[in-house]
Amino acid sequence: MTRSWNKVGFKNSYLASLIAILLSPSVYALEALSDDYLSTTTGEGVALLPENFKMVFQGPNDLSNASSYNQVGLVNPEKYDTGFIRIIPTGENYTNLKLTAAEAAAKRTKADTFIYGLALSASNNNLNQRFSNTGFNWGISANPWLFRAGTANNIQQFSSTNVAGDISYLVLETPLASIIADESDNNIKLGFWADAFLRSWNSSNAINPITGAPVAKPVANDPSNDVDLDKNKRIRLQYVANGLSLSGSQVRLFQTMPSTTAQYNQTLGMASVLRLNTNDNPANLKFTDAGLDAKAIRLSTATTNDGTYSTPALQQNSEAPLFNDKEGIYLYSPNINLVLGNMYQPFVLGSEGSNIFLEVTRIPNVPNIYKKIYTNYDVPYSSLSATSEYQGSTCNVYVCGFNTSSINSGSNTINYQGNNATHSSIAIGSVTRDPSTNLLKANTGADATGVVFRSPTGTAVNLGSVAIDGVLIQHLKFKTTGL
């Protein structure tokens, strides 16, 4: 596949026109553009190019104070990161069980989750900091984020009775990943902290429409008239990731082909390659290396203060907890490349009754379909192409499928990895790749590292590296219950 991009024509014509339209006062009518003008506009889809980007979810601030991170001399500004996303529970349907009030209260089947302080900023070496307050750039003008339309040719889905045809799709693409190792895009820090509660089946799931917080049942003298957010039924954790790159990821949306299975029949289909990489060459990584925190993910649960409420959403101006600066599980140099569905085996979103499901459909016993997905490991990887009998391949940090993309940038042509892989890989830490087979192998030396546990005092247990390679999803389904 070749993705051409005329950055000068696009930048000077399309983006300027779009910005001018958006900023024009509504009292002026839009004017038709001449054919001569339109002929100078080139490009493919709509490009996005974040520059100096940063964001963090905080609680309401007076506009004169703005973000706590910009207030000089303020200690621990992260304690104001209490803006949240809430996943509200409903629970299973136990109406036919005829439970007593005590039995119902004992069934803690609701999960109420609050995701606080979601933050994106420039990466640094500090895994005890969710937000660096420094912006990052994501992509270049010749290789931006891209939202475009396309057509996949000669596609067959679900059964041998379906005739192969063309499928139109919409796709959101991150900047492409370079074939030559280039870690200039491994510059993103992602962080958040969360409270998740087990709540009793008969507790209220009503919300405050202004704050989004849970509220009590409006029934006087009801013993269950509380929000049921018990600290003893709570897990509190912090997530911090450094050195992230999503380059090479893409999500395609399309209408699936006809199917005898009602839930698959001409519904919303997805084909996605989700790539989260931190280290373009982790082969020689050692536990004694300096700077490991610059390319890592940390999950921690130990806090140094707990706050006055079970979760800050219950009280305006309540502060976020502060976490221990050492404790947690550390994943050094994680490279996670997941393939969820493809044009031949779609990832569908549908409903069954009042519940929704996400499903990677089964691979049917149809040669025209499974030969596009399965891999023949006896064939050298370098020989794999669109004319191979079996065209399946694995996506890892080094390569992703067998097709490549090129972008003309002035006088230079830059080659990028493909995006047609069908198998996934997960690598953490010291991992090597066999270029003849594209298979990954975790290093077994005593100084190899990847997964490390640390206590609140900093005592470390190094479990070594991990490689899970060539993962093919034959069938996968997630379904909600009780809605």
Side-chain angles (χ1 to χ4, degrees), residues 197-370:
F197 295 86
L198 284 176
R199 295 179 60 182
S200 59
W201 167 69
N202 64 346
S203 63
S204 171
N205 60 7
I207 65 169
N208 183 316
I210 297 176
T211 66
V215 296
K217 288 181 178 179
V219 180
N221 301 318
D222 186 341
S224 64
N225 186 21
D226 58 62
V227 295
D228 195 32
L229 298 182
D230 185 351
K231 288 184 180 181
N232 296 321
K233 305 294 182 181
R234 180 193 71 191
I235 180 171
R236 171 169 282 178
L237 59 86
Q238 178 179 240
Y239 172 96
V240 181
N242 268 339
L244 297 184
S245 169
L246 274 70
S247 292
S249 300
Q250 71 163 226
V251 177
R252 296 185 181 186
L253 302 177
F254 53 90
Q255 185 186 58
T256 60
M257 302 182 80
S259 172
T260 55
T261 302
Q263 291 87 349
Y264 303 165
N265 183 42
Q266 296 183 307
T267 187
L268 175 63
M270 293 177 281
S272 56
V273 179
L274 306 179
R275 308 186 66 183
L276 193 157
N277 295 305
T278 60
N279 194 334
D280 289 352
N281 187 15
N284 299 316
L285 193 69
K286 295 181 175 60
F287 186 54
T288 54
D289 289 343
L292 288 177
D293 286 357
K295 303 175 182 179
I297 294 175
R298 176 191 175 194
L299 285 169
S300 57
T301 58
T303 58
T304 57
N305 74 311
D306 198 37
T308 56
Y309 295 90
S310 57
T311 195
L314 296 179
Q315 176 66 37
Q316 188 174 357
N317 300 324
S318 180
E319 295 181 353
L322 300 178
F323 286 80
N324 181 277
D325 62 351
K326 300 180 180 65
E327 178 269 343
I329 177 173
Y330 292 70
L331 306 179
Y332 291 120
S333 292
N335 290 320
I336 302 169
N337 295 267
L338 300 179
V339 179
L340 294 175
N342 56 69
M343 299 303 293
Y344 300 91
Q345 183 197 16
F347 184 25
V348 299
L349 170 64
S351 63
E352 293 180 0
S354 60
N355 290 289
I356 61 174
F357 69 87
L358 292 169
E359 181 174 1
V360 179
T361 58
R362 297 180 188 275
I363 301 175
N365 186 21
V366 178
N368 287 342
I369 298 178
Y370 67 68

Side-chain angles (χ1 to χ4, degrees), residues 25-84:
S26 60
V27 295
Y28 295 106
L30 298 179
E31 295 184 3
L33 301 177
S34 68
D35 290 340
D36 290 339
Y37 182 85
L38 288 173
S39 67
T40 66
T41 301
T42 61
E44 199 174 85
V46 176
L48 303 173
L49 192 60
E51 294 182 352
N52 195 28
F53 180 86
K54 61 181 178 178
M55 56 149 277
V56 60
F57 280 21
Q58 293 200 301
N61 290 312
D62 187 288
L63 293 179
S64 62
N65 292 327
S67 169
S68 62
Y69 291 92
N70 296 330
Q71 297 181 33
V72 178
L74 183 64
V75 179
N76 298 321
E78 63 271 22
K79 65 186 178 181
Y80 299 104
D81 295 348
T82 55
F84 64 91

